[in-house]
Amino acid sequence: MTTHAVRLAAVGALAQAVAACSDPKVANKSNFARAVAEAIATRPPCIDIPKGDGADPFPFGASARPPFPRYVRLDERATKGEANRQLDALVHAGLLRRERTQVHETTGFAGETRSVPTLAYTLSDTGRVAVAQADTVRRATSSRGESLCLGRAIVDEVTNFTEPGDAFGQKMSEVHYRFHVADRPAWVGDPAVTAAFPEIARQLADDQKGRTVLVLTNEGWKDQQLVAGS
């Protein structure tokens, strides 16, 4: 083979290798990391704002009940510990506002009402922004308007994956990966919040591990849950 032919063959082999690397349908760590990053961006670590335990001004079974205010009876405040501590911690962090009020509570099926001394928790301006951001990224969640996200999950590495195989009419692979949480909002570091929500420490731990199932689509590899929800 001539020198020119050798060079042409080398160029052809390199072009094929580049094409394989850029093909989103190839099963490799690069494509899988991209698919995992797309998926976990819609499932950031979050905490739920407690419901509260208190007077309810809406009739039993009312469908128009808004998520806020959260109500806590003053006469039950001492006995409904965890939820109240968490609401107060979010007040301390500037995400909620708290005021004392009287709620005309509807009780029973006959519609009787009574006035109950109550604390009402509403979103502050900062809280509204945080909740709106959570709603935007958690597009697959059913608890819209009631969560606060702790940051953005970043894929560090795809550690391993199963050989893609056929299941339920699709080609699938189980992928294991490492990740960390970046872009944490300032309120996450509030001592009152971290004390009231001990799960935050677990969700923000360094060098976390995850796994998911990816499926091959006509656009490349995608997270199974995103494909099912699309």
Side-chain angles (χ1 to χ4, degrees):
M1 182 180 294
T2 66
T3 302
H4 180 67
V6 170
R7 288 176 178 173
L8 287 178
V11 170
L14 177 61
Q16 289 180 350
V18 171
C21 290
S22 62
D23 184 352
K25 296 183 179 181
V26 173
N28 59 34
K29 288 187 175 182
S30 176
N31 286 336
F32 286 170
R34 190 179 302 112
V36 170
E38 178 188 22
I40 65 176
T42 69
R43 300 192 291 266
C46 299
I47 56 173
D48 292 329
I49 300 175
K51 298 290 186 185
D53 290 294
D56 188 351
F58 291 88
F60 179 78
S63 60
R65 182 183 288 106
F68 294 94
R70 302 287 215 247
Y71 294 105
V72 174
R73 297 172 185 266
L74 282 171
D75 61 355
E76 294 186 3
R77 182 170 167 77
T79 61
K80 304 291 185 180
E82 183 179 24
N84 296 341
R85 284 195 299 273
Q86 291 178 338
L87 288 168
D88 287 340
L90 296 178
V91 172
H92 187 271
L95 296 166
L96 297 180
R97 292 194 179 99
R98 180 185 62 207
E99 65 177 356
R100 183 167 178 164
T101 187
Q102 294 282 331
V103 167
H104 298 289
E105 181 182 45
T106 301
T107 61
F109 292 98
E112 302 93 344
T113 62
R114 60 178 176 176
S115 183
V116 180
T118 302
L119 290 175
Y121 294 83
T122 57
L123 288 172
S124 67
D125 291 342
T126 301
R128 276 192 291 272
V129 171
V131 163
Q133 290 172 339
D135 282 353
T136 298
V137 297
R138 295 185 74 186
R139 60 183 186 229
T141 185
S142 60
S143 58
R144 295 180 66 82
E146 302 180 13
S147 297
L148 298 163
C149 292
L150 308 176
R152 186 165 58 96
I154 304 294
V155 177
D156 294 318
E157 177 190 15
V158 169
T159 53
N160 61 76
F161 57 88
T162 62
E163 185 69 26
D166 295 322
F168 308 106
Q170 296 177 305
K171 190 172 291 293
M172 299 182 174
S173 176
E174 183 177 271
V175 176
H176 295 248
Y177 58 93
R178 295 172 43 253
F179 70 99
H180 70 279
V181 179
D183 301 332
R184 305 174 186 184
W187 60 264
V188 169
D190 188 294
V193 173
T194 53
F197 295 87
E199 67 269 29
I200 288 178
R202 174 184 56 80
Q203 294 190 79
L204 297 184
D206 295 330
D207 194 23
Q208 298 191 65
K209 296 177 176 62
R211 65 178 181 178
T212 191
V213 174
L214 302 182
V215 300
L216 183 60
T217 73
N218 60 348
E219 297 178 346
W221 291 94
K222 299 283 185 180
D223 182 87
Q224 184 181 40
Q225 294 183 40
L226 291 187
V227 172
S230 60

